[in-house]
Amino acid sequence: MRRLLLLAFLGGCQGVLTGPPVWQQPPTEPPVDPHPTTPVTELAPFEPAPLRPRLLLSHQYVNAVRARRATCW
Amino acid sequence: MLVNGLTAIGATVLKIPPSSVNDYEANAYRAAQAALLARRSQVISCTPTSSADATCMRTLATRFVPLAFRRPATEAELTRWTAVGVEAAEAYDDFVRGAEFLLAGLLQSPAFLYLDEVGETDGAWRRLTAWELASRVSFFLTSGPPDELLREAAANGSLLTDEGLRAQAARLLEKPEARAASLALFDELLELHNLDHLAKDSARFPGFDAQALAPSMREETHRVLLDLVFDSPGDFRDILTTRTTFVDGPLAQHYGMPPVSGWTRATAAEGRAGILTHAAFLSLQSHPSANSPTYRGRFIRERLLCQVIPAPPPEVDTSLPPAAPGTQRTLRQRLTEKTSASRCQGCHRVMDPPGFAFERFDAIGRVQALDDGLPIDTSGSLDERGAFDDAPGMLALLREDARFTDCLARVVFRQAVGHVDLPGEARPLKAAADAFTESGHRYQSLLVELVASEAFRSGVLEDAP
Amino acid sequence: MKPFRLSRRTLLRGAGAALALPTFDAMLDSHGVAYADGTTPPKRFLVWFFGNGVRRSLWTPTQVGTSYSLTPELAPLLDEARGIDVRGYTSVISGFNVKTQHLRGHHTGACALLSGSNIVPLPAGSAPYNSKFGRKSIDQELADVIAGDTRFRSLQLAVSKRWTRGEGPTLANLSHRGPDQPLTQNANPANVYNELFAGFLPKDPTDPRDRLRASVLDAVSDDARALQSRLGAADRQRLDAHLTGLSELRQRILALPPVITSACTLPAQVTSTNADSGGVEPIEDVSSIMSDLIATAFACDLTRVVTLQFSGSVGGHCFKVLSPSEPRDNEHAITHESEHQAKVDAAVRFTMRNFAYTLHRLRSTMEGTAGNLLDNSVVLCTSDVAEGLDHSIHDYPVLLAGKGGGALKSGYHFRSNNGRNTSDILMTCVRAMGAGLNSVGQDEGYSNTPIAELLS
């Protein structure tokens, strides 16, 4: 949740989520990410992300084609 | 296509352009023809009894559909692809031509082109199947499809156990392909691909040939990374501080080091520390003729600390005026004056201080003793982490900064799974980062921990039909 | 240019072999000259885009109406030394403002001028400047309506290779079939040539290859649908896009060779790959070859919609030819240096010199008695910012060229004195193209009001 608040703050800073853009109201402190000092056990329980099909990257594609040619075909 | 700085994310959210469909088709026929030319007897493992022998064609399909799709084939797929081969073999009265169309078809299929992961129900979530997991691990760690041992581990289910998965990940990291796969991420993280188009002002840097030196710049950073990750594995945070580096003749000359022939391990001059003091980084995060403390500092904030820096405000002249005639001003002085307005300070006081640390290096990564004839001030402080005098001092602070290891885990994870980590994934990612720390910051351990984390192995399906 | 020869028999054989006849086949007269029977040639749409804006004080004419004088930056439209005069074909539009939200420099203008929508900022990750279009780009809106059964629904071309790729789809691409489907531009003239004109090769009716390739694509499509059935809505759409690509490729494979006319001739083989020479891009050479290819693609009705990115927003292109012995940063860097604005001006003039050649090339390609290609085209020429120095998006530089088959007035300077919406210019394109769309853009970028003064 703290991370969410941070993201909301930074997002607001970006003029994307909420609040005025940073150049109108600069933050008084540099961004501080509380996450590294938060023990794992205090973080929210895991929620998995959506599974989505992913196109092979170009080097993966090249290697996949090459692997078929070299080892199997 | 890069989205959020990573092609892995572009590959997950974008639709493919029609031109790619053309390219895949052309490549598929080329690959199939090449395979049949070079290895016909291995490919056609049965002896066709006629030019369009359906039994032998089905034997080919039975072997190659699972290989191409990286999972067992369905009966519908075997029937479909056998028919494609038979149709072509009949039309040409030639079994080999039939095999060509069969193979070329498989290489265009979305089942080959996409890592398609839908998992299987496991309580409220879905867990990747053994075959999906095998592909995800393999493409993440080796940029290629699962090898025979990994396919075995998927088939016998051992990949679904924690020990089995970790053992396979550790094994894959010993393959030569793992080296190139790791570099693919660093190329994007460090924006090294932009070296292809590096251009510097020939009047400001006479005799400097960016295109000639760019490959050496990239290679230096690659070699330091490979050394620390694979060849002499050590604390990965040393990438920010190590003076161990590798240079070839042109690069040694560029740095003012003693001449070498071929690639040679070397110790960088005092004042340099790690990959952010390499010519590659320093040149990339600069203007064509001048340094950019803002670019350099922004890079550290965004890419190494995972902080968000907003875009500059619209309708603002961001150019930096030269010093008034007859006066001397360092770049730092001019930039500080230009950005003194409060509406600039919100971001610039965050970005610029770590960037100023690099001011003793010029826009092509050489040492500069003076700036406009004035001594250079590289001191500053990194948030509440402490004060520094120069780049090595700042980088030593960064090395100890838990935000850096945390961010590294997140960025590598993004590459592995193809999305920006979500708040719900913070817990397993923090656990992986902690395990990375406990391992003595071994990068290979980070990779194995990420593979073994729940976040890598699980997912949900959104509004499935 | 040499005429491409096909024997009468080849043509007949080809015609016998396949599927739908090209629509304009029936329009040919007995001499094979297109449109001699007075039918109307198709209208074409070209987006000609350059990065980083202009200097308005040297760009915008002071007079309005038909008697405007060419300004320094527009001077290349009349270039007697090169035999180029396309001034009468070009309208200048000034005083228009981008109405969408100015969320970030370069992104806002590119997205507004090409689609009439707000950018969609992407989640930060480690690269917060990323954004995508909020909507399909105008060329794709028009392609939906006017592409017909042309071999290429649209073409995406580029001259400079150094466009920015690190800020997401908005700056990396001109054409967007939708927010998540940017279309890649091709900067390699030899590849473009091969892709465009492979279909000119006469087909051997005894070779089953194309039929079999189509069969393979059918099987591939079956695989795609099987995968699609297991996915959520967003990803079903991604597979839809893949299926569309497969179906378009299938149509191209089975299509007949283009019909050869006096205007549609096979250009000489192009071998340029747009490789750098000594670190310098062959910009002007590539621009002129791309112009030739566009003219032929239009004349042969291979496509009716093209986007050409001469130089990219925030691109790393450098017009070294302008100062071979002088220092010169990349053009984007120069725009941000207030003391170097004269160099920006030179870059804009160089850009317009290349634009003028593209128009000239279209103008010198005749379509039977139906005028020339430029008579039958609408060309939108604009940039991603008004001026690069301050990322401004008001009083935007836009040229509209061509006569749109008689629908568009040309040689006119239209100035808005009340800061009209730049999307009105897109709506003008829609009307001039005769596309039955009632509006363009969305939200602040919405428009259903074309510039009446520019429509005939």
Side-chain angles (χ1 to χ4, degrees), chain B residues 142-308:
Chain B
T142 65
S143 287
D147 62 11
E148 199 170 345
L149 289 172
L150 189 54
R151 294 199 298 272
E152 256 172 43
N156 67 27
S158 65
L159 192 62
L160 293 175
T161 66
D162 194 55
E163 320 78 73
L165 179 58
R166 285 171 179 272
Q168 286 295 329
R171 182 183 67 79
L172 292 174
L173 286 171
E174 287 172 15
K175 299 182 71 174
E177 292 88 342
R179 301 165 69 91
S182 286
L183 291 182
L185 170 61
F186 292 117
D187 272 349
E188 294 192 353
L189 181 61
L190 296 164
E191 301 172 14
L192 296 181
H193 46 263
N194 287 340
L195 284 169
D196 294 345
H197 299 309
L198 186 70
K200 293 292 172 183
D201 182 351
S202 52
R204 171 73 180 78
F205 301 110
F208 175 73
D209 184 341
Q211 286 308 296
L213 200 61
S216 298
M217 293 179 174
R218 184 175 187 155
E219 181 77 17
E220 179 192 18
T221 301
H222 279 180
R223 282 181 183 249
V224 169
L225 288 163
L226 289 177
D227 188 52
L228 208 47
V229 173
F230 293 103
D231 297 328
S232 23
D235 189 320
F236 186 71
R237 299 173 305 166
D238 289 351
I239 58 159
L240 296 174
T241 50
T242 181
R243 279 173 62 196
T244 296
T245 192
F246 299 82
V247 291
D248 62 358
L251 206 51
Q253 191 184 6
H254 183 68
Y255 285 137
M257 295 164 78
V260 298
S261 71
W263 281 97
T264 309
R265 181 185 286 262
T267 301
E270 204 172 328
R272 292 194 192 262
I275 58 173
L276 300 193
T277 59
H278 287 185
F281 173 81
L282 294 167
S283 304
L284 285 169
Q285 304 300 332
S286 293
H287 296 293
S289 61
N291 279 359
S292 175
T294 304
Y295 284 177
R296 291 168 176 178
R298 191 184 81 181
F299 177 93
I300 288 172
R301 292 291 181 185
E302 290 180 349
R303 304 221 124 199
L304 300 187
L305 297 177
C306 289
Q307 295 174 334
V308 177

Side-chain angles (χ1 to χ4, degrees), chain B residues 4 11-12 14-16 22 25 80-81 87 92 97 109 114 116 201 203 312 314-315 319 414 462-463 465, chain C residues 102 123 126 129-130 180-181 207 209 213 215 223 229-233 238 242 252 327 336 338 390 392-393:
Chain B
N4 301 118
T12 309
L14 298 179
K15 301 171 183 174
I16 72 169
N22 294 3
E25 199 224 11
R80 178 183 306 149
W81 288 106
E87 184 191 4
Y92 279 111
R97 297 305 297 274
S109 172
Y114 293 88
D116 59 322
D201 182 351
E315 312 259 345
S319 69
R414 292 171 191 168
E462 276 192 336
D463 59 11
Chain C
H102 200 347
S126 299
Y129 284 26
N130 278 226
D180 294 315
Q181 196 179 17
D207 187 346
R209 181 162 193 87
R213 283 169 69 200
S215 279
D223 279 355
S229 69
R230 307 191 292 159
L231 301 174
R238 286 172 69 211
H242 199 133
R252 262 198 304 283
H336 286 301
S338 43
D390 59 359
S392 53
I393 55 171

Side-chain angles (χ1 to χ4, degrees), chain B residues 48-207:
Chain B
T49 55
S50 66
S51 62
D53 180 350
T55 309
C56 186
M57 196 65 78
R58 176 150 176 126
T59 304
L60 296 195
T62 305
R63 184 159 142 239
F64 292 125
V65 175
L67 274 178
F69 296 178
R70 305 175 291 268
R71 56 165 171 75
T74 65
E75 178 55 35
E77 286 163 345
L78 291 180
T79 306
R80 178 183 306 149
W81 288 106
T82 302
V84 165
V86 168
E87 184 191 4
E90 272 172 359
Y92 279 111
D93 194 21
D94 180 350
F95 190 86
V96 177
R97 297 305 297 274
E100 176 195 329
F101 281 83
L102 163 59
L103 299 183
L106 298 181
L107 292 180
Q108 300 172 60
S109 172
F112 172 75
L113 295 175
Y114 293 88
L115 288 167
D116 59 322
E117 299 160 341
V118 293
E120 47 203 6
T121 306
D122 181 20
W125 311 335
R126 299 179 75 82
R127 186 159 281 274
L128 295 190
T129 67
W131 293 105
E132 291 166 350
L133 189 56
S135 280
R136 194 182 253 209
V137 174
S138 181
F139 279 104
F140 171 41
L141 297 180
T142 65
S143 287
D147 62 11
E148 199 170 345
L149 289 172
L150 189 54
R151 294 199 298 272
E152 256 172 43
N156 67 27
S158 65
L159 192 62
L160 293 175
T161 66
D162 194 55
E163 320 78 73
L165 179 58
R166 285 171 179 272
Q168 286 295 329
R171 182 183 67 79
L172 292 174
L173 286 171
E174 287 172 15
K175 299 182 71 174
E177 292 88 342
R179 301 165 69 91
S182 286
L183 291 182
L185 170 61
F186 292 117
D187 272 349
E188 294 192 353
L189 181 61
L190 296 164
E191 301 172 14
L192 296 181
H193 46 263
N194 287 340
L195 284 169
D196 294 345
H197 299 309
L198 186 70
K200 293 292 172 183
D201 182 351
S202 52
R204 171 73 180 78
F205 301 110

Side-chain angles (χ1 to χ4, degrees), chain C residues 430-442:
Chain C
V430 165
R431 284 288 158 77
M433 291 299 297
L437 301 169
N438 294 322
S439 67
V440 296
Q442 62 194 33

